[in-house]
Amino acid sequence: MTGTREQALDILRTLVGHDDADFHDGQFEAISTLVDDRRRTLVVQRTGWGKSAVYFVATLLLRRRGAGPTILVSPLLALMRDQIAAARRAGVRAVAINSTNPHEWAEIQTLLRDDEVDVLLVSPERLNNPTFRDEQLPSLIERIGMLVVDEAHCISDWGHDFRPDYRRLRDLIAVIPDGVPVLATTATANSRVVTDVAEQLGGASVVTIRGPLARASLRLGVLRLPDAATRLGWLLSHLGDLPGSGIIYTLTVAAAEDTARLLREAGHSVRAYTGQTDTAEREESERALKANEVKALIATSALGMGFDKPDLGFVLHLGAPSSPVAYYQQVGRAGRATENADVLLLPGSEDEAIWEYFATSSMPTQERAERVLEELALEAGAPLSTPALEARVNIRRTRLELLLKVLDVDGAVRRVRGGWVSTGQPWVYDADRYDRIAAERVAEQQHMLDYERTDACRMEYLQRSLDDETAAPCGRCDNCAGVWFPSAVETDAASRASSSLDRVGVALEPRAQWPTGADRLGVPVRGNIAPAERMLEGRALARLTDLGWGNTLRELFAPGTPDAPASQALIAACIRVLADWGWDERPVAVMSIPSRSRPLLIESVAHSLAGAGRLPYLGALALTGSGPSGEPGGNSAYRLSSVWGAFELPPAGTLPTGPILLVDDLADSRWTLTVAARELRLAGATAVLPFAIGLRG
């Protein structure tokens, strides 16, 4: 044991670059449990404690004793990049197989075969890639030295970052040779998550090493402001006062992009970082933040687990995450190697609506699952690709992919080359399980609201939310030590923020290709949409997720909101969109899409736009039969089939020569506008300029 500690300490000091470094409480205990006892171990420790040091030190010790490489399951590309950099500092030879480096896979296979790799990093999804799973993983399992599951809370249904593919790790653990140690690590786990993860690792035989989660460097605060404009005004007023460089989290992609644009226009060096950001741009933004070349990254949760900048000076939230667990995960980016870091939450009135949207969009339903299983069963073992399956079931691609992963983990389907097949195993929708998950999410949301409103210590509240029995007042937060942040908003900043939020106009890109499988649904089209039948690029007033007009539009289009003519403010905003459009040729007339749910709204907007432009309003397109039959939320092929043939062609010669401005209420898939524009083009319109009041997404 003494020899193990001496060797481990030598490796640790190389890793951190300090000759006097020593282990934190629990670190060597975890290393020894893995290396000397070869046990399965769950480590729950605060961010910055040094969980990566445990698995890198343990890896080198095991390799010195003749063990094979460590397989490290890591959930995010940004995290992988940081883990590889940290490994190199410790003299650990680490490589990754992921979607960004296929050009390196052959070389990595050679290195693995020649035993020149200490740690192989893979995503949980990679474990189910047919080629990797069937051809590469078996040989790795034969010689694996250790399995590490990082950010292990993703295993749990209760975890805020639940990833279905993490749950297949139980199957991997079941087939690795006896005596191979397994390590799971996380900083964000309450008792339920700990129990769930331990069960995946092997139940009662798992050694759990859990430490206090308090972060002495963090100074927590909550500032409640009346609206988005005031919150952005505060940020414009005080961003420069925040220490060092940091992260500003938002709940949506649109909010991140809008906030970054506003701050850049005010002269601040910031970048947006979201799930839609190009991979190369993400890497450059991470580098710029670590080098303090930007004041902040304005980020969604895409920048979260494992991002390592030890001197990050602040984390600020424009809008609250949906649980204290998620919040603790994100604020843990700050103050990892500094004595002080500021953490401030600016909650928004729209937070709960956004939480509800994301919660309901991710939960599988029995109807959808059974539909997928029925279609796969019809193929009698022949694989169906995801696009082909999407054409048969009315489920959007992202939701379908998540559902397939859940069914795969449950053993009902299997991913193979060419797509998905049914296993034929009986499958029952676990309604009780999903009801429990939904109920827990609601409870976590309430805990987050309680965190915002508590007058007790905020760090203690977060610790108790994570079932940390060592929770005690921190003495630093705004409730313990008094408000440490200014609340005033400069008049000029408030004005600039209001002007930015009042900005209108979002591009509506024209559809260029018919969806795969439309012909199976009775729509006789395929391939590219003929240029002579397409609409031109259009405009929407705003997205429903925008910080500014998004709030108004979410209320306007919320279920149960009664139909009514548009307000003068809304009409004025729509007219501004047209004034700023910059079209090549001005429209000569206005028409509208008929609406069963909001006829007064769309009629009033179309009339007003026609009046403002001194254009004739030709009325709404006539419907054939009962008109469109679909509901929002389906996939492209079904959405197209629901509107195909729903509109009557205007009589020949009745359309004026020139572009038609076509007005709709809410654009989602854009198939309604695409089909209506095609009908107008076939009836003689030289061009169609689509305009929507709102745009989903």
Side-chain angles (χ1 to χ4, degrees):
M1 184 74 71
T2 301
T4 299
R5 181 178 176 85
E6 290 174 351
Q7 295 174 50
L9 190 58
D10 182 60
I11 297 171
L12 175 73
R13 288 171 174 172
T14 301
L15 174 65
V16 300
H18 294 291
D19 293 338
D20 58 349
D22 206 342
F23 293 111
H24 296 144
D25 289 343
Q27 275 185 316
F28 180 70
E29 178 188 354
I31 293 168
S32 178
T33 302
L34 295 165
V35 175
D36 295 317
D37 303 334
R38 305 297 178 99
R39 297 284 298 277
R40 295 177 180 177
T41 308
L42 170 60
V43 171
V44 183
Q45 297 283 0
R46 66 184 181 273
T47 51
W49 173 84
K51 294 181 286 296
S52 61
V54 169
Y55 50 73
F56 286 140
V57 172
T59 290
L60 286 186
L61 290 175
L62 288 166
R63 294 285 280 163
R64 290 176 183 178
R65 300 181 186 192
T70 291
I71 296 178
L72 171 55
V73 180
S74 184
L76 295 176
L77 293 177
L79 178 53
M80 285 188 186
R81 289 191 286 270
D82 281 343
Q83 287 165 326
I84 290 174
R88 288 171 179 162
R89 291 195 297 271
V92 177
R93 298 169 297 180
V95 295
I97 293 179
N98 57 51
S99 59
T100 67
N101 68 342
H103 57 288
E104 299 176 3
W105 292 356
E107 179 184 356
I108 290 172
Q109 290 301 319
T110 300
L111 292 172
L112 285 166
R113 186 180 61 246
D114 295 342
D115 199 27
E116 295 182 5
V117 172
D118 298 318
V119 176
L120 173 66
L121 292 93
V122 296
S123 70
E125 289 77 14
R126 178 63 48 182
L127 295 173
N128 199 38
N129 175 278
T131 300
F132 183 83
R133 181 194 65 209
D134 299 334
E135 298 178 9
Q136 299 165 9
L137 189 58
S139 62
L140 284 171
I141 290 175
E142 290 179 359
R143 44 192 291 268
I144 183 175
M146 180 169 62
L147 175 66
V148 177
V149 182
D150 203 11
E151 306 295 351
H153 60 276
C154 297
I155 289 175
S156 176
D157 283 337
W158 306 102
H160 62 280
D161 288 311
F162 175 50
R163 298 269 285 272
D165 282 289
Y166 258 86
R167 295 192 73 85
R168 74 176 69 260
L169 288 166
R170 64 189 175 194
D171 301 324
L172 175 59
I173 291 169
V175 299
I176 62 177
D178 292 337
V180 172
V182 178
L183 170 65
T185 69
T186 183
T188 49
N190 55 24
S191 293
R192 288 192 194 91
V193 176
V194 168
T195 299
D196 198 9
V197 174
E199 287 176 354
Q200 302 295 314
L201 297 185
S205 63
V206 174
V207 177
T208 299
I209 298 173
R210 183 167 188 167
L213 299 180
R215 294 286 305 282
S217 64
L218 301 185
R219 183 168 61 161
L220 303 177
V222 175
L223 176 59
R224 301 181 67 85
L225 295 170
D227 51 40
T230 310
R231 293 197 300 275
L232 288 178
W234 186 94
L235 195 56
L236 284 170
S237 301
H238 302 293
L239 176 58
D241 301 329
L242 294 172
S245 56
I247 301 172
I248 300 171
Y249 281 107
T250 67
L251 297 185
T252 67
V253 171
E257 292 174 346
D258 290 347
T259 302
R261 184 194 69 235
L262 170 64
L263 292 173
R264 283 196 302 269
E265 290 173 351
H268 294 286
S269 178
V270 300
R271 292 170 176 246
Y273 187 112
T274 75
Q276 297 180 14
T277 305
D278 177 77
T279 299
E281 187 177 344
R282 283 201 207 187
E283 293 183 20
E284 173 57 22
S285 293
E286 292 167 22
R287 186 207 62 77
L289 180 61
K290 290 177 180 179
N292 295 316
E293 294 174 3
V294 293
K295 180 65 177 179
L297 296 185
I298 318 301
T300 62
S301 58
L303 182 66
M305 294 180 288
F307 176 77
D308 187 18
K309 176 177 166 57
D311 62 341
L312 196 75
F314 65 89
V315 169
L316 187 145
H317 281 78
L318 291 176
S322 59
S323 74
V325 178
Y327 188 60
Y328 181 86
Q329 171 70 250
Q330 291 177 353
V331 302
R333 302 305 101 217
R336 305 180 75 172
T338 61
E339 293 185 2
N340 300 289
D342 289 344
V343 172
L344 184 61
L345 169 62
L346 280 69
S349 59
E350 69 277 8
D351 293 352
E352 292 179 70
I354 296 173
W355 299 342
E356 176 66 16
Y357 172 79
F358 286 119
T360 56
S361 67
S362 63
M363 193 73 71
T365 67
Q366 182 173 357
E367 178 187 5
R368 290 173 178 167
E370 291 176 346
R371 201 180 312 152
V372 167
L373 293 175
E374 288 170 2
E375 290 296 334
L376 290 176
L378 291 175
E379 295 302 306
L384 270 181
S385 67
T386 304
L389 184 58
E390 182 187 21
R392 300 188 182 191
V393 295
N394 190 16
I395 307 172
R396 284 188 173 181
R397 178 72 59 88
T398 53
R399 295 187 183 187
L400 177 59
E401 290 173 339
L402 176 61
L403 177 56
L404 285 166
K405 289 179 180 180
V406 171
L407 292 173
D408 189 358
V409 172
D410 287 347
V413 306
R414 181 172 173 81
R415 187 181 175 193
V416 298
R417 290 183 180 178
W420 298 87
V421 296
S422 171
T423 64
Q425 295 184 20
W427 180 85
V428 177
Y429 181 78
D430 193 344
D432 289 342
R433 172 185 167 197
Y434 290 116
D435 287 345
R436 289 196 305 271
I437 295 171
E440 181 60 23
R441 284 177 171 173
V442 171
E444 288 182 345
Q445 291 170 9
Q446 185 58 51
H447 291 161
M448 197 64 220
L449 295 173
D450 292 343
Y451 170 81
E452 296 171 13
R453 297 162 183 159
T454 186
D455 57 4
C457 173
R458 298 197 190 277
M459 180 59 75
E460 181 181 15
Y461 185 94
L462 290 179
Q463 288 179 263
R464 294 194 185 282
S465 297
L466 293 168
D467 298 316
D468 181 357
E469 296 178 357
T470 69
C474 69
R476 295 171 57 87
C477 71
D478 55 350
N479 287 338
C480 284
V483 173
W484 50 266
F485 46 83
S487 58
V489 177
E490 297 173 1
T491 302
D492 181 57
S495 177
R496 277 184 288 167
S498 295
S499 297
S500 178
L501 292 177
D502 196 39
R503 188 173 302 192
V504 295
V506 178
L508 267 178
E509 298 294 336
R511 291 279 190 178
Q513 194 165 34
W514 299 112
T516 301
D519 52 338
R520 290 177 55 89
L521 300 174
V523 182
V525 294
R526 62 191 309 172
N528 292 331
I529 301 175
E533 298 177 5
R534 295 181 194 174
M535 65 185 188
L536 298 178
E537 181 184 275
R539 294 290 185 274
L541 170 62
R543 304 180 190 89
L544 268 62
T545 54
D546 285 348
L547 287 175
W549 278 95
N551 290 330
T552 300
L553 296 182
R554 281 195 299 273
E555 294 175 6
L556 184 65
F557 292 111
T561 299
D563 181 36
S567 68
Q568 289 303 308
L570 183 69
I571 289 172
C574 291
I575 291 173
R576 281 196 286 134
V577 175
L578 266 62
D580 295 337
W581 195 321
W583 41 51
D584 293 331
E585 187 178 356
R586 191 175 187 273
V588 297
V590 178
M591 295 190 74
S592 61
I593 301 288
S595 173
R596 288 192 291 261
S597 59
R598 300 179 187 86
L600 296 177
L601 173 66
I602 199 166
E603 185 87 359
S604 64
V605 171
H607 264 297
S608 298
L609 294 181
R614 298 181 181 180
L615 302 173
Y617 175 50
L618 305 181
L621 281 169
L623 296 174
T624 60
S626 59
S629 58
E631 296 294 331
N635 65 26
S636 280
Y638 275 81
R639 294 299 295 276
L640 173 60
S641 69
S642 74
V643 297
W644 187 261
F647 305 111
E648 289 186 5
L649 280 171
T654 60
L655 295 179
T657 301
I660 302 294
L661 180 67
L662 181 61
V663 180
D664 198 3
D665 53 1
L666 183 60
D668 186 2
S669 67
R670 288 166 289 146
W671 286 117
T672 298
L673 285 166
T674 299
V675 170
R678 178 178 182 270
E679 300 289 1
L680 291 174
R681 294 298 304 274
L682 293 175
T686 60
V688 175
L689 296 162
F691 174 81
I693 300 169
L695 175 64
R696 290 189 189 273

